[in-house]
Amino acid sequence: MNVIIANIIDFIAAMVQVGSGAIKKKSRILIVQIVQILMQAVSMLLLGGVTGAVNNVLSCFRNYLCYKEKLNTAWKVILIIASVGMTVLLNEQGFLGIIPAVVCVVYIIFMDVKDPIKFKLLVTLSFVPWMFYHFILGSYTGALFDAATVVTNGVTLFKMIKDKSNQ
């Protein structure tokens, strides 16, 4: 029953996630991601993905700091230590449980990039490992919509590059 409930929650989160792929403005992407990530954290907990849920909660805080333009080197270090530390403490999934921390750390390091095209590329590529994590965890709607989000973001990224070259 948890699998069904988790997939329903993840389906709703996925609708928000896919919609975010059409957003070009960084601040709006971050706000929409906070809502989507919190929903997915609940889904992951229901499926036993504790490290995914914990890293998602940290990601919400990270996005909030970035939105408020308060994400500095000190906060990045704190968030990376929290991500790695919580993953080490709570991981009972082996390699699978490490994936959320890896994505979280890479995203934290590069998320304050000012170039919107590079930021959109970061967002797009960060969904690829999540696609595998969700699928193996049993969040099939999450995995399917991660793939759809990669495509949506890819189309938007292409348009952004095209628009930039036309200026």
Side-chain angles (χ1 to χ4, degrees):
M1 187 62 158
N2 278 354
V3 172
I4 294 170
I5 294 168
N7 274 275
I8 290 169
I9 292 168
D10 220 1
F11 178 77
I12 296 166
M15 293 292 103
V16 174
Q17 173 181 306
V18 171
S20 75
I23 301 171
K24 295 178 183 175
K25 192 173 178 187
K26 184 177 179 177
S27 62
R28 288 188 182 155
I29 292 170
L30 294 170
I31 294 297
V32 170
Q33 278 184 346
I34 289 171
V35 173
Q36 172 254 321
I37 290 169
L38 282 174
M39 287 189 285
Q40 281 189 322
V42 172
S43 173
M44 285 180 214
L45 281 176
L46 290 171
L47 294 170
V50 176
T51 61
V54 167
N55 277 282
N56 270 10
V57 171
L58 289 170
S59 294
C60 290
F61 186 62
R62 169 205 72 204
N63 282 11
Y64 177 76
L65 289 170
C66 190
Y67 173 74
K68 292 292 188 179
E69 297 184 12
K70 304 278 187 204
L71 186 66
N72 55 30
T73 303
W75 275 116
K76 282 183 167 189
V77 170
I78 290 167
L79 288 167
I80 289 169
I81 290 170
S83 176
V84 172
M86 294 301 285
T87 298
V88 169
L89 288 173
L90 300 172
N91 186 16
E92 295 180 358
Q93 298 175 297
F95 179 73
L96 180 66
I98 295 170
I99 291 173
V102 170
V103 176
C104 191
V105 168
V106 169
Y107 199 86
I108 288 167
I109 291 169
F110 296 108
M111 77 176 294
D112 57 356
V113 64
K114 301 297 181 207
D115 182 343
I117 291 173
K118 289 179 182 175
F119 182 72
K120 182 56 91 172
L121 181 62
L122 173 66
V123 170
T124 305
L125 293 177
S126 71
F127 277 101
V128 175
W130 280 114
M131 182 174 51
F132 294 106
Y133 181 81
H134 286 134
F135 183 79
I136 295 167
L137 196 62
S139 176
Y140 305 114
T141 55
L144 176 68
F145 283 98
D146 286 341
T149 301
V150 169
V151 171
T152 305
N153 275 289
V155 169
T156 302
L157 184 60
F158 176 77
K159 288 178 183 177
M160 290 170 73
I161 292 168
K162 186 178 174 185
D163 290 347
K164 187 175 182 175
S165 68
N166 289 335
Q167 292 178 0

